[in-house]
Amino acid sequence: MGVRPGDDPGVDPEDRGRGAGHGASEQVAETIAEGLRGAGPAAAPGRLCAVAVALLPVDGASVSLRGDGMPLQLAASGPGAARLGQLQATLGDGPCRNVLRTGRAVLVRDLAAADCADRWPVFVQQALGAGVRAVYALPLGSEDTCVGTLDLYRDTPGGLTARQLRTARLVAGVMTVALMDLPHGPPDGDGPWLSGLAADHDRVHQAVGMIMVQLGIGADEALARLRGDAFAHGRTALEVALDVVFHRRRFDSP
């Protein structure tokens, strides 16, 4: 998996006494199945985020797919986890970005460690400010192709036991199957299953196009301008994009 300082696949000495640390694999599978029971295609990612929080010693979970320029956040267990996922997309910085680039898990037991600040200086500052101390980011997809990430957040430092890590990988595997097996065409006359989930991502791309026209620049620079403006004002790229799309913000005027 390519462990480096700040990554920890090993044992949490306290095991935190909750989640899958002392549950049988059959119980884990049953919990996942129960969490997905009756879920339609669009609900599956969110249900699995909630299952991850129930099974593991984590306080939040989010799932994102690889996208053009920025990851596409599909779901999160709550507003805090959603904000952290959007923060990584906005900054282009953080464990999620490493996983998308390498296809390998990044397990950080303490974001306050000095080497973490060296790897993700801006993300670490923002995440610690939000009360997050540990992050476990796992790839979705196959060994050859990483299509997204399952990001787990914890408010206290610590690693995952071997059993907890197996559970996290199982949830990531089920998440991959749920995403890959879903129909991409219109089900029952409705729009594609991803259309509702991707609406926010589309707004970002729409805003990038408007910034390109306003400033006469290319897409990469327009996205960089959007991200920079969001960071400078303590906002997410989506929040700024919505202002651009609804004509509350222009980049060609002071």
Side-chain angles (χ1 to χ4, degrees):
M1 184 172 57
V3 178
R4 0 178 341 174
D7 297 352
D8 181 11
V11 176
D12 180 341
E14 296 182 0
D15 202 18
R16 287 176 60 111
R18 74 179 243 215
H22 53 78
S25 58
E26 293 82 0
Q27 293 175 315
V28 171
E30 289 175 4
T31 300
I32 294 173
E34 182 61 29
L36 287 173
R37 195 180 310 280
R47 292 280 193 93
L48 285 168
C49 285
V51 167
V53 173
L55 285 173
L56 294 162
V58 299
D59 300 290
S62 65
V63 57
S64 300
L65 287 182
R66 182 187 297 277
D68 295 332
M70 291 179 61
L72 160 61
Q73 186 176 96
L74 297 184
S77 60
R83 181 84 181 183
L84 286 162
Q86 292 171 3
L87 179 64
Q88 293 192 75
T90 297
L91 299 173
D93 183 33
C96 167
R97 303 294 288 180
N98 282 72
V99 173
L100 290 174
R101 185 168 60 251
T102 67
R104 291 184 286 184
V106 176
L107 310 172
V108 185
R109 66 174 296 127
D110 191 356
L111 283 172
D115 64 294
C116 291
D118 292 337
R119 294 175 73 180
W120 313 293
V122 182
F123 171 75
V124 165
Q125 180 186 34
Q126 297 289 317
L128 290 175
V132 176
R133 288 295 299 271
V135 179
Y136 320 116
L138 286 81
L140 304 177
S142 65
E143 292 184 1
D144 299 325
T145 305
C146 176
V147 299
T149 64
L150 173 64
D151 300 313
L152 308 171
Y153 309 100
R154 185 158 125 179
D155 295 346
T156 56
L160 296 176
T161 66
R163 180 176 290 177
Q164 290 165 349
L165 183 56
R166 286 196 299 272
T167 297
R169 292 189 185 282
L170 178 58
V171 174
V174 174
M175 184 80 77
T176 297
V177 172
L179 296 177
M180 295 302 99
D181 282 356
L182 289 172
H184 288 67
D188 300 325
D190 296 327
W193 76 271
L194 195 56
S195 60
L197 299 174
D200 291 344
H201 198 255
D202 290 343
R203 293 295 194 188
V204 172
H205 281 289
Q206 186 179 355
V208 166
M210 294 172 68
I211 296 170
M212 290 170 63
V213 172
Q214 291 171 11
L215 300 180
I217 57 178
D220 289 345
E221 185 177 351
L223 178 57
R225 294 285 189 98
L226 177 68
R227 282 174 158 161
D229 188 87
F231 175 68
H233 294 92
R235 309 179 73 200
T236 67
L238 174 60
E239 288 170 339
V240 176
L242 290 174
D243 279 353
V244 173
V245 170
F246 292 107
H247 306 288
R248 296 189 294 262
R249 171 79 169 90
R250 291 187 63 92
F251 276 69
D252 57 355
S253 59

